[in-house]
Amino acid sequence: EAELSMSRRLGASEYTILVVQSNLAVNHGELGNMEKALIMERDVYSGRLRLHGEGHEETLRAAGNYATSLKHLKRYAEAKSLLRKTVPVARRTLGVEHDYTLNLRDIYGRCLYRDPGASRDDVAEAIEIMDDVQRRARRVFGPGHPNWNTLPQELTAAREKLASFDT
């Protein structure tokens, strides 16, 4: 927080201030202060949109961080709304197999099935998305890449939720 204050006081560039804010948001999240992290992630995402536009890698990474904070706080409707806008942009500008595109789609799939109000169709869509993400991530990054190690468990949980609709 001191670094952020100093950066602002010394007239650092908006880019630098956003980097410091993003790092600070991560620290708040790691300390369990998710509400504070969420506010900062939202501000960073808004700043990146203003500074770079919607299709820039930094903006899409900030969108992923913001969506992750929303997911952790179980604010699934907000996360899904954000991701419905950003996933198509990521696919168009970065490609379907880019790390950020895959990450945004993974978050979207998790939010779809974890939402307590998820319909059968939502859960089926989540499985389809996460299955595709898993296939692409394994092909592009290898089966042992740490960014994707929880995806099999998420798929299992989503499939179990889908099966519960049939009982």
Side-chain angles (χ1 to χ4, degrees), residues 80-144:
K80 290 185 294 185
S81 176
L82 170 66
L83 293 163
R84 281 187 198 106
K85 292 184 287 190
T86 56
V87 168
V89 174
R91 290 179 85 131
R92 184 179 69 247
T93 60
L94 302 177
V96 294
E97 294 186 339
H98 191 281
D99 188 31
Y100 295 166
T101 306
L102 292 170
N103 185 50
L104 291 167
R105 292 183 65 222
D106 179 42
I107 298 165
Y108 183 63
R110 292 175 194 228
C111 288
L112 270 175
Y113 98 83
R114 286 183 184 178
D115 189 334
S119 68
R120 187 181 203 294
D121 288 345
D122 291 336
V123 178
E125 181 183 0
I127 292 168
E128 184 179 318
I129 290 167
M130 292 188 300
D131 231 1
D132 183 64
V133 167
Q134 180 173 261
R135 266 192 314 277
R136 290 176 190 275
R138 281 185 176 162
R139 185 174 62 249
V140 174
F141 302 104

Side-chain angles (χ1 to χ4, degrees), residues 4 7-8 15 25 30 42 51 83 90 94 124 142:
L4 179 59
S7 296
R8 287 181 171 146
Y15 177 85
E30 288 176 355
R42 182 195 62 219
L51 188 62
L83 293 163
L94 302 177

